Amino acid sequence: WTHIAITRSGNVFRMFVNGVQESTVTSSTSVDNGTASQIRVGASGISGDTEWAGYIDDLRITKGVARYTANFTAPAAPFPDKG
């Protein structure tokens, strides 16, 4: 499996793959810009017609905290169930 994290701290967006920062973008644009835009999980593009060809497990969206701002050790296994 692959651990992917996308974070925002101030105006800096970062993407990490398996704990290694792969890209950085600086933007002051609001994620919620007051239009009918939606966050899409498992699809890309405005129409959402390109589907993710895989599985998504343990999706977490956190508001107000940039969990990762530098390289980190990604978990070696999926998050355990809380049964």
Side-chain angles (χ1 to χ4, degrees), residues 3-80:
H3 184 276
I4 298 173
I6 299 173
T7 66
R8 179 180 186 173
S9 178
N11 291 337
V12 180
F13 291 80
R14 295 176 178 89
M15 183 177 77
F16 298 89
V17 178
N18 292 325
V20 177
Q21 184 174 317
E22 297 291 336
S23 65
T24 303
V25 174
T26 302
S27 174
S28 61
T29 302
S30 175
V31 173
D32 177 12
N33 60 10
T35 65
S37 41
Q38 301 171 349
I39 295 175
R40 298 183 187 274
V41 177
S44 66
I46 293 174
S47 65
D49 58 358
T50 305
E51 295 181 0
W52 174 261
Y55 297 96
I56 299 173
D57 188 30
D58 298 329
L59 173 69
R60 175 171 56 179
I61 299 173
T62 305
K63 181 179 178 181
V65 176
R67 297 212 175 268
Y68 310 110
T69 57
N71 291 347
F72 61 95
T73 300
F79 192 78

